[in-house]
Amino acid sequence: MSNCPGLYFDIGKKARVQDIIPGVSSLVGLVIPHSGKVELQYMKDYFGATGGIGLKTEPVGVFSPILNFSGVVGTSLFSFGTGFSFDLGTREFDKFDTGLSFANDLLASSLTLDKLDTLKASCYYKVNPLTKTAIAAELKHSFSTSDTSLSVGAQHAFMPLTVLKGKVDTHGKVAAMIQQGLWDKLFLSIGGKLDFMDQRRIPNIGLSMAIKV
């Protein structure tokens, strides 16, 4: 088992990028016309860090530069980390998060504090790795609004390249998605969600395509 804890943003989810030099990875993201980012990621035994700069669109249509940094210490089994974003335009912290995680081959759990206000406890359990069957739950509490919510989700692969996912929460929101692999690295996803607390109850349906390189 590797001693590298990964990156801070791996807490609560799984992620991987490709090395450009030993221990250093690059990440470039672009969402037109809303945002973009360039980051460098460094991973070594018991330590992982990422830093970079991004752009986000303000309501007036102007791009604002955001400085991002995060670090994590620990192992692939248990880790603790923190991350923050600093808005260079307003000279204010855009976010400040911290969290810890525990993970093995079947179970992944985490506890995070977002913006020093929202506490999240999440758990992901692989019921059957062969069929990609898994269940997940997240308990979230906001100290500023005293609001608490619970989300429960599950996924199952009916065929090797066909995966169905679903999620429901205590706020009356239900979501489902089916992902179909067309080729080895090309995936088509169709998803929808419905808010039963909304009197209109109009479902939102989306279609996306992803290419893994």
Side-chain angles (χ1 to χ4, degrees):
M1 179 180 294
S2 171
N3 290 323
C4 182
L7 301 171
Y8 172 71
F9 296 104
D10 290 339
I11 293 179
K13 69 177 183 179
K14 300 182 288 291
R16 181 167 61 181
V17 294
Q18 297 297 320
D19 290 347
I20 52 176
I21 59 175
V24 179
S25 305
S26 64
L27 176 64
V28 179
L30 181 63
V31 179
I32 299 174
H34 303 292
S35 64
K37 63 180 178 180
V38 177
E39 291 183 346
L40 285 179
Q41 302 174 344
Y42 176 78
M43 288 182 285
K44 207 66 175 177
D45 288 351
Y46 310 111
F47 177 75
T50 178
I53 191 168
L55 297 174
K56 72 172 184 178
T57 305
E58 300 294 346
V60 293
V62 179
F63 284 101
S64 177
I66 304 293
L67 182 66
N68 302 297
F69 177 81
S70 65
V72 62
V73 294
T75 68
S76 58
L77 184 66
F78 178 82
S79 61
F80 170 80
T82 187
F84 69 85
S85 294
F86 185 75
D87 192 319
L88 296 177
T90 61
R91 297 181 182 275
E92 296 179 350
F93 283 98
D94 190 56
K95 69 175 183 178
F96 185 86
D97 307 331
T98 187
L100 53 88
S101 72
F102 170 84
N104 56 30
D105 292 339
L106 295 178
L107 177 68
S109 60
S110 66
L111 183 66
T112 60
L113 180 62
D114 299 342
K115 297 182 179 179
L116 301 179
D117 175 73
T118 303
L119 186 65
K120 297 179 182 179
S122 63
C123 182
Y124 175 89
Y125 178 70
K126 295 180 181 179
V127 179
N128 188 341
L130 295 178
T131 59
K132 299 180 181 179
T133 304
I135 56 175
E138 180 184 73
L139 183 65
K140 181 168 61 175
H141 177 75
S142 173
F143 295 101
S144 60
T145 63
S146 297
D147 179 67
T148 302
S149 65
L150 174 66
S151 300
V152 179
Q155 73 172 34
H156 177 74
F158 293 96
M159 293 182 289
L161 295 179
T162 305
V163 180
L164 178 65
K165 299 181 180 182
K167 183 176 71 172
V168 61
D169 66 25
T170 53
H171 285 172
K173 296 179 181 179
V174 178
M177 182 192 74
I178 184 168
Q179 183 183 72
Q180 177 65 51
L182 303 179
W183 286 282
D184 185 34
K185 295 183 179 181
L186 181 61
F187 298 87
L188 180 67
S189 299
I190 301 176
K193 62 181 180 180
L194 179 63
D195 186 353
F196 284 96
M197 302 300 290
D198 189 342
Q199 294 183 352
R200 299 173 299 171
R201 294 185 180 178
I202 300 176
N204 295 323
I205 300 176
L207 175 68
S208 66
M209 182 175 292
I211 300 176
K212 294 184 178 181
V213 296

